[in-house]
Amino acid sequence: MGSLAAEAVGIMDPENPTKLETEAVHLSDGGSARNHLPNRVFVNRSLNLENIKCYGFDMDYTLAIYKSPEYEALGFELLRDRLVSIGYPHELLRYDYDPEFPTRGLVYDTMYGNLLKVDSHGNILVCTHGFSHLKGDDIHNYYPNLFIQRDDTERFYILNTLFNLSETYLYACLVDFFTSCTRYKNCTQGFQHGDLFMSFRSMFQDVRDAMDYVHDSGSLKDRTIKALEMYVVKDPRIPVLLSRVKEVAKVFLATNSDYSYTDAIMKYLLEVPASVKSGAPKRAWRSFFDLVVVDTRKPLFFGEGTVLRQVDTLTGKLRMGTYTGDLQHGTIYSGGSSDVVCDLLDVRGKEILYVGDHIFTDILKSKKRQGWRTFLVAPDLIKELQVWTDKRYLFEELKGLDVYLAEFYKHLDSGSHERPDISAIQTRMKMVTYSMDICYRKREGERERERERETDRQTERERGRDVYV
C-alpha cells in the first residue's frame, strides 16, 4: 500500500502472468506474504487476468507515491501562505502541519465550519469544530438528528483525496484561530469583526481558491521537482512492474498532470540504467507505455472529455488542431477521453484494468461510465491494518462481550419483566473500545468507531473497485 509496485509485482506471476492471487501477496526474498501488511492485495470480486488486455495507470499517488507527511506539510505551507498573502491574519503562520489530525474522507460543513466523519447513511460518527471534538448536546445543537444529507453538495464538501489532507488541516486551523482570537466575535455561521463578517462558507471558498492557485500556478509542482528525493518515493520495482505487464498486455498512463511535470516525475521513477555493472544506457520512460495522455481533466475524461491534441515534447506546448489519426508510439497526447483511449488501443470495457488512488475520479467514474475493471491504491489503510493485526485480541474481546451480552437477553421477550444488570459488561466494552481508539494514534474522540458500520468512504470503495491495496 505504500507503493503500488510492492503489491502489483507480487500479483503478476512471471510463470503464469494470467494468475491473480486472491490472498495477500508480498514481493520479498522469502518472507511470508501474510505477515507484511503494506504488501497485501485484497480482491473484492472475481477477476480473471486472462480477460485483461490493457492496464491503465494514474500517476499521482499511484505510480508516484509522495512521502508523508513531508508532501502534505509542503501543501499546507503553500495554502497557508497564500491565504496570508490575500489578507488573512499573519498569526496563521504559527500553525504547522500535524499529520496526526487529518484523515481522508472527512466532510466539511460550510455552514457551521465543522469537520465530520459520517457513515454510508449520513449518520454522524465524529464531529470537530477546529480542534475541539464535540460530543452529546454540542453535536445535537448543530445536527438535532445526528444526521446529514450526504447529497447536499452545496453545503457539504467531501475531502476524499490524499491531496485534501493539507486542506483538511487548514480548515481546522482557521476555525481554531478565529474562535480563540479576541478580535473576532463567535457567531453560529462564522465570525464578526466590526463591520466585517467572516462566514464559514467564505472561508471555505477562499481555501478552495487557494488550492486552485497552488496547483494552477505550479508552485507545488515546482517545489516538488526541485526536491524530488524529499517528496517522491523512488521505488526500483516500478520499472520492473511496468516491464512485466507490458510483456502480456498494453499499458497506458492517464494523468491530470501536465506534460512538464509528468516528464520530470517519470524520468525520476523510471529512467534508471538497465544494468549498473555494464553501464548500459537508460531506457526512456515513454517506452514503458503504449500510450501516454496528460491533462486528462478526470472525471471529465470519463465522460465527454476534451479535445485530443499532441504535445510537442521539445517545448511542452500543444500542437494545433484535434488529433484524429492512429496511435503513434512515443507520442504524448493531451486531453481526449476514455473513449479515445479505447479506440487508439483497440480495447473495450472489461478488457481494461485501471489503477488509481481517487475513489470518485479514478474508480467509480471509470467503472460506471466505461465498465473498466478497477484497482484502488489506498496507502492510508496501512495503519488501520497494522492495528487490526497487532491488536486483534481487542477486537476478539469486543466480539466476545457482544456474545456474552446477547446471552443475557436470549430467553427474554416482550412479556418479560426481568431487567438484567449489564453495567459491568457495558463498562468493559467502553474500556476496550477506548483502548482500540488509542491504538489508532488519533486524537481523543476522533476515532470513536461504530462496530459493523461503514463510513461513506468505505462504502464507495466496496461499490467501485474490483481490487484494492
Side-chain angles (χ1 to χ4, degrees):
M1 279 166 278
S3 169
L4 171 67
E7 302 83 14
V9 173
I11 67 172
M12 190 67 69
D13 187 345
E15 299 298 325
N16 183 8
T18 63
K19 178 183 179 183
L20 177 66
E21 297 287 350
T22 57
E23 293 195 13
V25 296
H26 176 232
L27 180 65
S28 69
D29 51 1
S32 172
R34 297 176 185 272
N35 295 328
H36 296 269
L37 289 172
N39 298 328
R40 286 192 173 189
V41 174
F42 301 89
V43 179
N44 246 10
R45 53 183 64 87
S46 177
L47 177 61
N48 188 348
L49 294 188
E50 288 182 340
N51 298 327
I52 302 300
K53 298 181 181 180
C54 181
Y55 291 81
F57 294 89
D58 184 25
M59 184 180 75
D60 298 308
Y61 283 110
T62 301
L63 291 178
I65 299 297
Y66 295 103
K67 294 182 180 180
S68 181
E70 292 85 355
Y71 192 68
E72 290 82 22
L74 172 63
F76 174 79
E77 174 190 331
L78 294 173
L79 285 174
R80 179 201 63 194
D81 293 354
R82 175 60 181 174
L83 289 185
V84 172
S85 72
I86 63 173
Y88 274 72
H90 280 74
E91 291 97 322
L92 288 173
L93 297 175
R94 74 170 186 260
Y95 287 94
D96 293 316
Y97 183 73
D98 179 2
E100 291 299 319
F101 181 83
T103 185
R104 179 158 64 153
L106 298 182
V107 176
Y108 181 72
D109 183 352
T110 64
M111 180 180 292
Y112 296 131
N114 297 325
L115 285 169
L116 307 170
K117 184 174 183 180
V118 302
D119 67 12
S120 57
H121 304 290
N123 298 306
I124 298 173
L125 306 180
V126 180
C127 176
T128 67
H129 191 73
F131 297 120
S132 299
H133 293 268
L134 306 184
K135 295 182 179 180
D137 292 339
D138 292 332
I139 300 179
H140 277 281
N141 290 336
Y142 288 111
Y143 315 98
N145 298 318
L146 299 180
F147 171 85
I148 66 169
Q149 293 286 348
R150 294 167 48 232
D151 55 356
D152 184 1
T153 55
E154 286 296 315
R155 175 177 172 182
F156 299 106
Y157 183 76
I158 303 176
L159 299 148
N160 56 8
T161 77
L162 293 172
F163 279 117
N164 289 136
L165 289 177
S166 55
E167 180 182 357
T168 301
Y169 189 67
L170 184 56
Y171 289 129
C173 291
L174 289 172
V175 174
D176 178 72
F177 169 75
F178 286 110
T179 300
S180 59
C181 184
T182 57
R183 300 195 304 270
Y184 295 86
K185 177 184 176 182
N186 285 267
C187 303
T188 304
Q189 298 186 21
F191 306 94
Q192 188 79 41
H193 178 55
D195 295 332
L196 172 68
F197 180 68
M198 178 71 71
S199 69
F200 294 117
R201 179 73 192 184
S202 65
M203 288 165 49
F204 165 76
Q205 192 59 59
D206 288 341
V207 174
R208 292 304 307 156
D209 290 344
M211 194 74 167
D212 291 340
Y213 174 83
V214 165
H215 286 280
D216 295 342
S217 68
S219 56
L220 178 62
K221 295 175 182 177
D222 291 342
R223 290 280 295 273
T224 303
I225 291 175
K226 290 178 180 178
L228 287 171
E229 292 185 358
M230 180 182 296
Y231 298 119
V232 183
V233 177
K234 187 168 186 176
D235 192 334
R237 294 170 293 187
I238 293 180
V240 178
L241 162 68
L242 294 176
S243 296
R244 290 183 182 179
V245 173
K246 202 167 185 293
E247 290 176 1
V248 298
K250 297 175 181 178
V251 183
F252 71 89
L253 176 69
T255 174
N256 282 358
S257 294
D258 58 32
Y259 169 70
S260 297
Y261 185 70
T262 301
D263 183 55
I265 295 294
M266 288 292 98
K267 281 182 178 178
Y268 176 69
L269 294 177
L270 301 180
E271 293 193 0
V272 295
S275 174
V276 177
K277 294 182 179 180
S278 64
K282 295 180 180 179
R283 177 181 174 182
W285 71 264
R286 281 176 282 177
S287 66
F288 287 91
F289 304 97
D290 294 286
L291 171 66
V292 176
V293 186
V294 299
D295 298 313
T296 54
R297 295 182 62 188
K298 293 175 287 183
L300 186 64
F301 177 78
F302 294 111
E304 61 270 27
T306 57
V307 174
L308 181 70
R309 296 182 178 179
Q310 289 181 307
V311 178
D312 186 332
T313 56
L314 296 178
T315 64
K317 296 181 179 180
L318 303 181
R319 293 177 178 172
M320 293 181 60
T322 302
Y323 183 76
T324 59
D326 295 330
L327 175 65
Q328 296 182 10
H329 290 281
T331 297
I332 306 296
Y333 298 90
S334 172
S337 66
S338 52
D339 288 331
V340 171
V341 168
C342 291
D343 291 339
L344 290 175
L345 295 174
D346 192 25
V347 290
R348 289 291 179 273
K350 294 184 178 180
E351 296 175 338
I352 299 175
L353 177 64
Y354 187 67
V355 186
D357 71 290
H358 195 307
I359 296 171
F360 177 76
T361 299
D362 293 324
I363 305 304
L364 292 180
K365 289 301 181 182
S366 62
K367 174 169 287 292
K368 288 182 178 180
R369 295 185 178 181
Q370 297 296 333
W372 292 4
R373 306 308 295 267
T374 52
F375 189 127
L376 176 67
V377 179
D380 39 343
L381 288 179
I382 295 177
K383 185 183 294 183
E384 296 193 20
L385 289 171
Q386 191 65 55
V387 171
W388 172 262
T389 301
D390 295 345
K391 305 296 180 180
R392 190 177 182 87
Y393 66 89
L394 292 174
F395 293 90
E396 294 298 331
E397 181 179 357
L398 195 59
K399 186 189 300 183
L401 289 170
D402 271 336
V403 173
Y404 191 48
L405 185 62
E407 288 295 322
F408 275 87
Y409 295 94
K410 186 175 182 179
H411 302 293
L412 303 181
D413 57 26
S414 59
S416 302
H417 298 287
E418 180 183 352
R419 304 186 70 176
D421 182 6
I422 60 172
S423 58
I425 299 177
Q426 290 177 320
T427 299
R428 182 57 188 168
M429 292 178 75
K430 290 179 180 179
M431 293 175 62
V432 174
T433 302
Y434 177 77
S435 297
M436 291 164 57
D437 291 339
I438 294 299
C439 293
Y440 282 94
R441 295 174 60 195
K442 295 293 180 181
R443 295 178 185 270
E444 182 178 0
E446 183 180 344
R447 280 301 187 98
E448 296 190 13
R449 296 171 175 272
E450 296 287 335
R451 298 188 306 279
E452 298 182 2
R453 294 171 72 185
E454 294 179 323
T455 64
D456 179 59
R457 217 179 126 254
Q458 290 170 321
T459 302
E460 294 300 312
R461 282 205 301 257
E462 292 296 327
R463 288 169 49 195
R465 80 287 190 258
D466 300 291
V467 183
Y468 65 104
V469 295

